[in-house]
Amino acid sequence: QLAESGGGLAQPGGSLRLSCVASGRSDRMYSTAWIRQAPGKEREFVAAISFTGENTYYGDSVKGRFTISRDIAKATTYLQMNSLQPEDTAIYYCAVRKTVVISATNWDTWGQGTQVTVSS
């Protein structure tokens, strides 16, 4: 199971940090992604990280503003979001699978999502 937290309301230019905790797994050999869905839009790939944490990948719209990281011992993946803009408003989901794919849908297990709203 995956549980996201850290969403909420932020002002334009502000920051939030999302967390995704994986439970019920005996291994740590999985890759994790953050994927978002804004109202009326399709899901969008945001970022992903390999199970070692050595390789990271970002969608074009968040490069240079968002940073994905993971704490293997805590089975937790983070998404640090800086310079937030209204267009970042969406439900943010974490998802896992064995290997990274740059895809907004092709992930095996999903969390319930956490709402991020960017507004003044």
Side-chain angles (χ1 to χ4, degrees):
Q1 292 184 341
L2 302 174
E4 304 97 333
S5 62
L9 176 65
Q11 293 188 339
S15 299
L16 286 174
R17 188 176 81 155
L18 305 183
S19 299
C20 172
V21 179
S23 61
R25 296 184 67 113
S26 59
D27 69 289
R28 299 288 187 266
M29 297 182 65
Y30 53 87
S31 299
T32 309
W34 287 97
I35 292 158
R36 68 186 182 186
Q37 188 165 24
K41 295 187 176 180
E42 295 184 349
R43 289 189 176 183
E44 178 187 9
F45 174 86
V46 176
I49 188 167
S50 62
F51 71 87
T52 62
E54 292 181 354
N55 299 304
T56 57
Y57 309 82
Y58 296 94
D60 289 341
S61 61
V62 306
K63 282 180 182 176
R65 300 188 298 123
F66 291 10
T67 302
I68 189 170
S69 62
R70 68 181 297 184
D71 184 328
I72 296 175
K74 295 182 178 180
T76 301
T77 302
Y78 304 98
L79 185 68
Q80 178 66 44
M81 306 187 294
N82 299 329
S83 302
L84 284 164
Q85 300 301 318
E87 52 266 34
D88 294 317
T89 296
I91 298 174
Y92 284 71
Y93 300 90
C94 67
V96 302
R97 56 172 282 159
K98 185 173 182 179
T99 56
V100 172
V101 291
I102 310 303
S103 167
T105 57
N106 194 14
W107 291 81
D108 296 336
T109 303
W110 294 73
Q112 293 299 306
T114 185
Q115 176 70 48
V116 170
T117 302
V118 184
S119 174
S120 56

